[in-house]
DNA sequence: ACGTGATTACTACATCGTGTAGAAATCACG
DNA sequence: CGTGATTTCTACACGATGTAGTAATCACGT
C-alpha cells in the first residue's frame, strides 16, 4: 500500500498537477520550502521504490513523472480501504447515506449508462 | 486521522467482531500470538488516545469497546481518502467504473430510495 | 485493617518510515 | 581531461508502533 508522508505528498502533488515530467531541481524550486536537492532526490527515490513515480534515467537531469494520475491513485486507496472493510456493501450503503444530494445525483447518472 | 499498526488493527478486529466489551486479558487470550498483558494494555491505551476505543474505568478489569463500528470507521477512512482527492466526482466516476456489476446494482438500488 | 494476587500505569527500548542533508561518486561539456 | 552539475550513498533525528518489565494501585478474603 502507499501511505505517504507530508513531503512525499507535496512532491506527488507537483507531479500530478503539472502534466509534464520534472527534474529534481525543478521539484525543489516549486516546493515553497528551502530544501537541499539531495533531500528531494531522496524523496523521489523513495517514491520510485513505492511505484508512485517513474524515472527517466537516460537523460541527464533524470526526469520524474507520476505513475498514476491523482484520481487513479485515489481510487486505488479507496479500494484498499474497502478491502479491509468486512462487508463492502454495508460500507457503501453508509457511505452514500452521507454524501450530498448533488453527488448522489451524479452517482445515479454514472450508474445509469 | 487513524492509521493503525498491525497489532492495533488485530485488536480493533476483535472489538469489532464480538459485540461485547473485552478486558485486556480477554483480548490477549483471543489474539493468537503469545503477548504480555502489558503489551495489550499499551495498545489499548494508544487506541483510546486515538479515539478508536472507549474504556470503562469503573469496573475492575477495565472493559474496552470500539467507539465506532468497523463500517463506520471504514466510511470515515473513505471520506478521508476522498478529502485528498482533488476532484471527488472524477474519482467516484472512476471508482464506479471498476466495481463488479452486482455491486453497481446494489448501489443503484441504494440511490433509488 | 492488612496482605496478597490481579490489574493498571509508567518507563524503556528496538525497529521502521520519513524528513533532512553532507560527502562521495559519476557524468557530460568545453 | 578538468570542472561544475547531478546522482548515489550514508547518516542521523524524530515519531509511531510492537513489545515488555517494574512499579503503583486496587479489591477481596480473613
Amino acid at each position: 500500500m502507499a501511505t505517504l508522508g507530508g513531503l512525499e505528498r507535496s512532491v506527488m502533488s507537483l507531479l500530478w498537477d503539472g502534466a509534464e515530467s520534472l527534474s529534481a531541481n525543478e521539484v525543489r524550486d516549486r516546493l515553497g520550502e528551502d530544501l537541499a536537492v539531495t533531500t528531494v532526490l531522496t524523496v523521489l527515490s523513495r517514491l520510485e521504490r513505492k511505484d508512485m513515480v517513474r524515472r527517466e534515467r537516460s537523460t541527464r537531469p533524470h526526469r520524474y513523472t507520476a505513475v498514476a494520475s491523482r484520481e487513479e491513485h485515489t481510487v486505488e486507496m479507496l479500494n484498499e480501504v474497502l478491502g479491509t472493510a468486512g462487508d463492502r456493501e454495508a460500507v457503501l450503503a453508509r457511505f452514500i447515506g452521507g454524501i450530498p444530494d448533488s453527488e448522489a445525483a451524479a452517482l445515479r447518472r454514472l450508474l445509469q449508462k
Side-chain angles (χ1 to χ4, degrees), chain A:
Chain A
M1 108 267 39
T3 177
L4 304 181
L7 183 53
E8 290 177 329
R9 181 158 296 279
S10 300
V11 170
M12 285 312 299
S13 258
L14 287 179
L15 295 175
W16 277 329
D17 288 345
E20 1 75 54
S21 65
L22 294 178
S23 71
N25 272 299
E26 287 165 348
V27 169
R28 188 211 41 196
D29 292 345
R30 303 189 190 199
L31 292 167
E33 311 137 68
D34 185 29
L35 295 172
V37 203
T38 51
T39 298
V40 174
L41 281 169
T42 301
V43 169
L44 284 167
S45 292
R46 288 175 182 165
L47 288 171
E48 190 190 19
R49 182 151 38 81
K50 294 185 192 178
D51 262 303
M52 303 276 309
V53 149
R54 194 177 308 103
R55 178 204 310 231
E56 182 52 76
R57 282 187 143 92
S58 61
T59 68
R60 196 56 210 229
H62 294 178
R63 305 200 68 80
Y64 299 83
T65 53
V67 164
S69 74
R70 180 186 245 123
E71 286 74 25
E72 285 164 349
H73 175 251
T74 307
V75 170
E76 272 176 44
M77 301 269 86
L78 287 183
N79 281 315
E80 221 170 89
V81 168
L82 281 171
T84 75
D87 185 344
R88 268 178 78 104
E89 287 198 20
V91 170
L92 289 176
R94 266 172 205 276
F95 171 70
I96 64 181
I99 65 181
D101 287 358
S102 62
E103 221 164 81
L107 281 185
R108 236 174 269 129
R109 221 175 305 122
L110 284 163
L111 284 162
Q112 221 53 45
K113 28 162 259 304

